[in-house]
Amino acid sequence: MQTPKFSSSRVVADRDPQSRRRFLRNSGIGLAAAGLFLTGCEDDDDPIVMENAVNLGSGDVGVLNYAFALEQLEAAFYAAVLQGSYYASASAEEKQILADLEAHERAHADFFEAAISSVATAIPALEVDFSSINFNDRSSVLNTAQAFEDLGVSAYNGAGRLLENPNFLVVAGKIVSVEARHAAAIRSINSGSPTAFANSQVVDGNGLDLARTPAQVLSVASAFITTPIDASGLPQ
Amino acid sequence: MKLIKLFNQFEALADAELQTKATSRREAFNSFGRTFGKAAAATLPLAAFMTPNRAFAQTSGTGITDVLNLALTLEYLEAEFYAMGLDAADLLTGDTRETVALIGQHESAHVEFLRSAISSLGADPVEKPDFDFTAGGTFNDVFTNEQVFLALAQAFEDTGVRAYKGQATNLMSNGDILTAALQIHSVEARHASEIRRIRGSKGWITNANNTTGASAADAVYAGEDNVTHLGVNATTVTDVSRDQLTEAYDEPLTKEQVLDIAGLFLA
């Protein structure tokens, strides 16, 4: 098992150090599955592991590939949701929301692939493992969707400062607010509470949403992405 | 006086003051770290605010405190709007009242947060303007008719999302401020989604559709039907329908567009 090599010197706000554990629990995945990979690039790394890892790259391209990886994860998840029996029997409102989310995340992933490829190398399709999710069960699907959407919001919020090209920041901004709209809608239908869309799990006393570093985000996402990801080139 | 004129006058004053109080960005940043850290300590590790800036060339454009004062102006508007709505007898009840109360709490927190941030950067927070939420008589029943109130709430939240988005690039010289602004931006988007869904709209914006029912809010949605990002016509790289493609991206507004919208509600 590799230890992720990320600087922790600039930890963006993550007010809930237990969030990863809760994410995993809510998603129905055992803790044993956590922390499986996240390749670091220490000198003593197994060269075979590094050969198999997908390298996000460095600089702005690395950040865009990082976003692309997350969009791939979300798109793959909703594609699977639409094949499950929960979706087939869901209410009209829930079907509409989930179908829209599937389309939106696929649109984001398709866009990143094209945009990155036009200037650099986009990462290939990542392998995912959703065996911990029961796509026939409403709670399993909605808890995972909620966790993914909140994770996506916090990822973009934390990554904005890593970008140097203003045009890339604008695009990230165009996407993150839609992820936040998703998160609010999923939270609302998941709990039924009138305050779930932005309660204190995700918004602090200053009225600020969560922001997470790539290291924090990838350590959570790694429970579902089986392709090893080398994020060591990302800006700190 | 048009809001934009008022605002520009304020900016000139604030800029002059900032130059005497903080002669360099580093100085301004250090001041921010010292004072602002106190306000944020409850939830944000102080270390996050002490990180050295990434050096971005910013030779032109809007200054950071100008951006924060623009944001503060919008937050004043939202905070007062929700406070008045919650004070109005029999306007908001049940679940809707709970939702609006949480949103109002966030907007008030944003006001305090931004005022602290601006002061910490050595500038003066703009004073709260006087608002007229009837927009000169267009919405006379805003505080007696829940549907009108919620329609305006939707317009304000969708405007807020676009306003922060449009200013993000002006904050790139200060990563901590940029991150905080993004953290507010996504909260506004959560608000917008919830209010829209309470009103029976999707949580996201399809094309440039103004679903508030008020033509005065058309400007809030103008340009939301854009499908070109980074020079890529997104319709050419995906099978997703055009309607859903426009939903997948929110679009920025310029400062001038934002002030034109907010100016409708200036007393």
Side-chain angles (χ1 to χ4, degrees):
Chain A
M1 185 177 297
Q2 306 290 339
T3 303
K5 182 192 175 192
F6 285 111
S7 166
S8 59
S9 64
R10 193 192 52 70
V11 174
V12 188
D14 189 347
R15 68 189 58 88
D16 183 0
Q18 298 301 309
S19 61
R20 180 182 179 211
R21 184 168 300 170
R22 190 166 62 228
F23 176 99
L24 297 169
R25 190 168 62 236
N26 285 345
S27 308
I29 190 166
L31 282 175
L36 272 183
F37 63 90
L38 260 197
T39 62
C41 276
E42 305 293 349
D43 289 341
D44 58 353
D45 272 351
D46 183 338
I48 295 172
V49 170
M50 293 309 295
E51 277 175 22
N52 292 337
V54 165
N55 193 325
L56 296 179
S58 60
D60 280 359
V61 169
V63 178
L64 295 181
N65 267 324
Y66 164 59
F68 181 30
L70 295 177
E71 298 293 350
Q72 284 193 40
L73 174 64
E74 290 186 306
F77 168 71
Y78 289 112
V81 168
L82 266 51
Q83 301 300 315
S85 69
Y86 153 60
Y87 177 78
S89 59
S91 71
E93 181 192 21
E94 293 179 5
K95 266 189 172 166
Q96 176 70 72
I97 288 172
L98 291 164
D100 278 350
L101 268 50
E102 188 279 330
H104 299 167
E105 307 301 5
R106 182 155 46 92
H108 293 161
D110 288 344
F111 169 76
F112 275 119
E113 181 169 35
I116 297 169
S117 298
S118 71
V119 295
T121 304
I123 57 170
L126 301 172
E127 297 292 325
V128 294
D129 177 3
F130 294 140
S131 59
S132 60
I133 303 162
N134 181 354
F135 290 98
N136 302 325
D137 179 71
R138 182 178 186 274
S139 290
S140 180
V141 169
L142 293 183
N143 284 342
T144 309
Q146 177 174 321
F148 280 164
E149 296 296 344
D150 284 339
L151 184 71
V153 172
S154 69
Y156 280 99
N157 281 350
R161 66 187 298 157
L162 304 178
L163 290 165
E164 298 203 31
N165 183 329
N167 297 322
F168 295 157
L169 178 62
V170 170
V171 168
K174 291 180 180 195
I175 292 174
V176 63
S177 55
V178 174
E179 303 291 347
R181 290 173 187 271
H182 291 172
I186 289 288
R187 286 180 148 272
S188 175
I189 61 174
N190 192 19
S191 92
S193 154
T195 54
F197 68 100
N199 65 18
S200 59
Q201 289 177 348
V202 286
V203 180
D204 72 11
N206 287 318
L208 305 187
D209 213 321
L210 291 167
R212 291 190 177 95
T213 64
Q216 292 170 323
V217 170
L218 289 172
S219 74
V220 175
S222 68
F224 301 95
I225 303 175
T226 51
T227 308
I229 294 177
D230 180 354
S232 60
L234 290 189
Q236 297 295 329
Chain B
M1 183 184 291
K2 288 203 69 175
L3 186 56
I4 188 160
K5 200 170 160 194
L6 189 83
F7 199 79
N8 286 339
Q9 285 178 359
F10 171 79
E11 279 182 0
L13 281 173
D15 284 346
E17 193 159 355
L18 184 61
Q19 291 204 336
T20 56
K21 281 189 182 173
T23 54
S24 73
R25 187 183 303 146
R26 171 53 60 102
E27 235 179 277
F29 180 84
N30 286 343
S31 165
F32 179 81
R34 277 199 308 274
T35 319
F36 193 57
K38 261 187 283 180
T43 49
L44 296 177
L46 186 60
F49 288 99
M50 301 307 289
T51 315
N53 279 348
R54 292 167 63 76
F56 289 105
Q58 189 176 16
T59 53
S60 63
T62 309
I64 283 181
T65 54
D66 297 335
V67 171
L68 297 183
N69 268 317
L70 171 65
L72 176 58
T73 303
L74 281 184
E75 299 290 356
Y76 278 138
L77 183 151
E78 290 182 316
E80 183 161 304
F81 175 73
Y82 292 116
M84 290 180 70
L86 290 162
D87 279 349
D90 303 325
L91 176 68
L92 300 163
T93 56
D95 281 358
T96 302
R97 185 173 186 85
E98 280 192 60
T99 298
V100 170
L102 180 64
I103 294 176
Q105 186 184 314
H106 291 159
E107 309 301 8
S108 296
H110 293 163
V111 166
E112 292 311 310
F113 185 87
L114 289 169
R115 286 182 60 90
S116 297
I118 293 163
S119 296
S120 304
L121 288 166
D124 290 329
V126 66
E127 292 301 315
K128 185 186 77 60
D130 291 328
F131 296 110
D132 167 21
F133 293 108
T134 73
T138 306
F139 307 107
N140 278 325
D141 52 353
V142 56
F143 294 119
T144 53
N145 182 329
E146 184 187 65
Q147 291 310 309
V148 173
F149 178 85
L150 292 175
L152 279 185
Q154 176 183 322
F156 291 151
E157 296 297 340
D158 280 332
T159 299
V161 173
R162 300 189 69 179
Y164 277 94
K165 199 186 317 297
Q167 294 304 314
T169 56
N170 291 322
L171 301 176
M172 292 180 81
S173 61
N174 188 322
D176 297 329
I177 298 277
L178 171 62
T179 301
L182 290 173
Q183 290 174 282
I184 295 177
H185 170 244
S186 61
V187 170
E188 301 292 338
R190 288 178 187 269
H191 295 170
S193 176
E194 185 74 2
I195 293 286
R196 293 174 65 89
R197 292 184 57 256
I198 287 175
R199 297 190 61 255
S201 290
K202 287 183 176 185
W204 23 95
I205 301 164
T206 311
N207 295 308
N209 295 350
N210 170 11
T211 61
T212 64
S215 60
D218 283 352
V220 174
Y221 300 96
E224 277 287 352
D225 52 352
N226 175 48
V227 293
T228 300
H229 314 286
L230 292 178
V232 175
N233 179 342
T235 62
T236 65
V237 300
T238 187
D239 294 332
V240 172
S241 76
R242 190 184 183 98
D243 283 358
Q244 288 174 311
L245 194 54
T246 65
E247 293 168 352
Y249 297 85
D250 283 334
E251 297 294 322
L253 286 175
T254 66
K255 179 180 80 174
E256 289 71 25
Q257 289 172 316
V258 170
L259 291 175
D260 277 348
I261 293 167
L264 297 174
F265 300 95
L266 200 67

